[in-house]
Amino acid sequence: MRVFEKNPLEKGLAERLREHGVSRRGFLKFCAATASMMALPPAMIPAIAAALERARRPSVIWLSFQECTGCTESLTRSHAPTVEDLILDLISLDYHHTLQAAAGEAAEAAREQAMRDNHGNYLLIVDGSLPGPDANPGYSTIAGVSNYAMLMEAVEGAAAVIAVGTCAAFGGLPAAAPNPTGAVSVMDLVKDRPVVNVSGCPPVPMVITGVLAHFLTFGRLPELDEYHRPLAFFGQSIHDRCYRRPFYDKGLFAETFDDAGARAGWCLYRLGCKGPSTYNACATMRWNSGTSWPIEAGHPCLGCAEPRFWDAGGFYVPLSVPTGPAQDYLLAAGALGAVVGGVVATSARGRVKAEAAVRQPVTVEELEQKL
Amino acid sequence: MSDPMDFLLLTKGPLFDLAITVFALGMAARLLEILINGRRPNYSEARGGQWLPGLRTVLTRSVPDPGTFKRAPFNVVVGWLWHLGFIVTLLFFIPHIALIKSLLGISWPGLPNPVVDLVTAVTLVALVATLVHRRTHPVKRRISTLEDYLVWTLVFLVVLSGYLAYNRIINPYPLALGLHILSAEVFLIVLPFTKLTHIFTAFIARWYNGASFGRRGVES
Ligand code: SF4
Ligand code: SF4
């Protein structure tokens, strides 16, 4: 990965790949992977190859706000040569806190220069949420500039904004109740530029690079769902693609993490799996270069790609269980109801008794006289 | 409420608490009132026991006698079908069992999802049939009240939204699940104050009838 390098824009991709020791065959394989991860037919592979070969390296500015660096870790935790490496070779990552060699004023100068040189054309990637315009800006600053001011300045000249990770996409853990820093998502603030949300805590690396590959290939952003997430990766739920689904359908569930059911690979719904309400690509792309993924490793899905997964009740509580103290309410209300019922019934009995005491008996003769 | 996930969390959190509170308060009050009021004291000499005839009546009034079946086979068959379907779906769908366990601490084995799915589909068809019957049968049509239609609508919505959510016919899923939970909450809130109360009182009433017959030495 070359960060902060002067752009050799004149060099074609093929040449750069050869320099990296990637063969033509390897490159086509990468294009095939890109096509499949973008859910495109194999017939598109040559078109993708041609487009990527012609592609000029766009400038990318990566801003990190209130985050844990997990998203960058995710992106870089893969083995060479991978799609991720190739993609990073296709862009000019001009500013990225964690990955760049420069620091301090030099780093900020690089960002400002990239913004000036590529005004209107660069891709802005953001990870982390940020204190909103009404929050105390001091909660998160870079070189003395508030996150909010830096984002707004960088958005000005951006062609598109990619919010990487659930924090940038939906607020994430920093926004968890009671949200002390007033954290908001990128989408909450950026209204006049296309925003793509690559959610996940962290996102699947191939999904990050898949979106970049799509942009490089077609010159535009992919189709999005209602949460601005690329449909190609977030179109299906974890549950729909989960290999444990047959067990769910048969009603076979692990009850604890070490029972016979867990060992037999049964469904993790009862252990709190949020797969049914979570849309992400883990089940199909898997993690660590396709090695495995959480549910395969025996852990329920936490729903990390969904808004508010952090406040959605316990991670190990089944999806159908209410998130509030419903059990206490049930007991308290039941007890109160019993008291109310008792009072009503007793007063009714009392009324009957009272009326019986003052009743005026009527004889048959009296009744007949009235007739 | 800005998006489907917010909506789902609203239904799973505060709204559920509200619904379960109203339900528990209303239902406990009504049941206790019924039980304490009981029957007027009967000073006549008992001619027979109460328990056995009471229990027998719970059974006999639940199973249709041949005469009723001959007179109204549709009522009997379709009525049974959807009542059973509703109970099976409510009590034997795994996510429902998980919910009950969280509230009451008890649980039991569930049924495979495709079975519950099929039962739900049958229940839906049976429910529609009851509505059509109610609207076309001259007598039923006359005696139907607004409450009858309200109750039918609620039951139908609960089952329908569950079916749509499970089969992912409405997207996104959090919206579908939220709608199902919301309809169940309305059902719970309305339950103690409408004829839906029969879910809890039907058997008490049957027992009372049988017991009072037994006391009087009448065959129940
Ligand atoms: S483990 Fe989770 S995602 Fe997989 S089938 Fe079970 S509930 Fe669905
Ligand atoms: S399985 Fe669920 S919680 Fe785990 S990474 Fe995938 S979407 Fe996130």
Side-chain angles (χ1 to χ4, degrees), chain A residues 140-213:
Chain A
S140 182
T141 60
I142 296 166
V145 180
S146 77
N147 288 170
Y148 175 70
M150 189 175 280
L151 174 72
M152 286 334 217
E153 190 197 355
V155 159
E156 266 294 302
V161 184
I162 303 179
V164 164
T166 304
C167 294
F170 306 127
L173 297 190
N179 190 357
T181 64
V184 295
S185 70
V186 172
M187 196 170 51
D188 289 334
L189 302 172
V190 177
K191 303 287 180 198
D192 56 348
R193 290 282 182 290
V195 177
V196 180
N197 284 330
V198 182
S199 66
C201 186
V204 180
M206 270 174 86
V207 176
I208 308 176
T209 51
V211 173
L212 291 175

Side-chain angles (χ1 to χ4, degrees), chain A residues 238-239 242-245 248 253 266-269 273-276 293 295 301:
Chain A
I238 295 281
H239 186 64
C242 179
Y243 75 104
R244 294 187 192 232
R245 181 65 184 269
Y248 174 90
F253 297 88
W266 290 356
C267 170
L268 304 171
Y269 184 92
C273 185
K274 307 292 186 290
W293 62 295
I295 286 179
C301 170

Side-chain angles (χ1 to χ4, degrees), chain A residues 226-227 237 248-250 253 269 276 279 306-308 319-323 325-327 329-330 333-334 337-338 341 345 349, chain B residues 3-6 9 12-13 16-17 20-21 25 28-29 32-33 36-37 94-95 98-99 102-103 112-114 166 168 172-173:
Chain A
E226 67 268 19
Y227 287 131
S237 71
Y248 174 90
D249 288 336
K250 280 195 203 121
F253 297 88
Y269 184 92
Y279 292 76
E306 296 300 313
R308 297 194 46 196
L319 185 61
S320 61
V321 169
T323 53
Q327 195 180 20
Y329 284 111
L330 179 73
R349 289 201 138 192
Chain B
D3 63 49
M5 192 50 103
D6 279 339
L9 293 184
K12 277 182 68 175
F16 188 86
D17 293 337
I20 203 77
T21 306
L25 218 155
L32 211 83
E33 190 190 341
I36 289 183
N37 270 336
I94 305 274
L99 169 65
S102 82
L103 287 176
N113 292 331
Y166 174 74
R168 290 172 182 265
Y173 181 73

